[in-house]
């Protein structure tokens, strides 16, 4: 940056100086991506937010996927954003890898679907990290198995280690 002039000398030795030309250097924007998480459950999404700028180009790998200040990722990938500021200067963020976690499979097994009055049946949920059992809409338990001693329509919500849920 600076105030530039040029002095021109012709063949006869006469000199002239130009008017000053002021040159400025515009700042490069900061290009970053923030998100509440680096993953989401299959069928879900995560919102990616770019740092401040005047315009944006979002990429998943080399494919352009958006042009707003935020992008809702519904697919896994390696995301970058090109941020342009008001001066037209551009910067590209580092890659942000987003993963899609698989949903658990929620099933209930039992040795039988009925029992004699005064008895019970043990219901077993498919593998998971945590469980919520319901008889209709009434909470019934939080273990991997449930001893049902009342008739009803039982469901289980299974949560896996990634926090994804299925019923």
């Amino acid at each position: 940056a600076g105030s530039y002039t040029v002095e021109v000398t012709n063949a006869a030795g006469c000199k002239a100086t130009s008017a000053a030309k002021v040159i400025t250097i515009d700042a490069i924007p900061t290009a970053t991506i923030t998100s509440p998480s680096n993953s989401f459950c299959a069928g879900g999404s995560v919102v990616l937010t770019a740092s401040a700028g005047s315009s944006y180009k979002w990429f998943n790998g080399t494919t352009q996927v958006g042009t707003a200040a935020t992008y809702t990722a519904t697919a896994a990938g390696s995301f970058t954003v090109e941020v342009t500021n008001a001066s037209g200067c551009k910067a590209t963020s580092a890659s942000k890898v987003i993963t899609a976690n698989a949903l658990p499979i929620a099933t209930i097994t039992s040795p039988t679907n009925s029992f004699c009055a005064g008895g019970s049946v043990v219901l077993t949920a498919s593998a998971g990290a945590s469980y919520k059992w319901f008889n209709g809409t009434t909470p019934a338990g939080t273990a991997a198995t449930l001893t049902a001693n009342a008739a009803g329509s039982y469901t289980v919500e299974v949560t896996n280690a990634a926090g994804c849920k299925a019923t």
Side-chain angles (χ1 to χ4, degrees):
S3 179
Y4 291 87
T5 58
V6 62
E7 180 183 271
V8 178
T9 305
N10 65 14
C14 299
K15 297 179 181 183
T17 302
S18 69
K21 178 74 170 177
V22 177
I23 302 297
T24 59
I25 298 175
D26 296 320
I28 301 290
T30 300
T32 58
I33 300 172
T34 57
S35 64
S37 174
N38 291 336
S39 64
F40 59 90
C41 296
S45 64
V46 65
V47 176
L48 308 178
T49 303
S51 49
S54 295
S55 66
Y56 309 88
K57 285 185 183 177
W58 288 93
F59 295 88
N60 184 352
T62 58
T63 303
Q64 185 175 336
V65 293
T67 58
T70 61
Y71 176 72
T72 302
T74 57
S78 180
F79 293 87
T80 56
V81 65
E82 179 186 88
V83 177
T84 304
N85 65 15
S87 302
C89 299
K90 299 176 182 186
T92 301
S93 71
S95 294
K96 184 161 191 87
V97 176
I98 300 294
T99 57
N101 296 312
L103 296 177
I105 295 170
T107 59
I108 300 172
T109 56
S110 65
T112 182
N113 290 337
S114 65
F115 57 88
C116 297
S120 64
V121 64
V122 175
L123 307 177
T124 303
S126 50
S130 66
Y131 309 89
K132 287 184 184 177
W133 288 92
F134 297 90
N135 183 354
T137 59
T138 304
T142 58
T145 62
L146 176 72
T147 302
N149 54 17
S153 178
Y154 288 86
T155 58
V156 64
E157 178 186 85
V158 177
T159 304
N160 65 15
C164 299
K165 299 177 182 188
T167 301

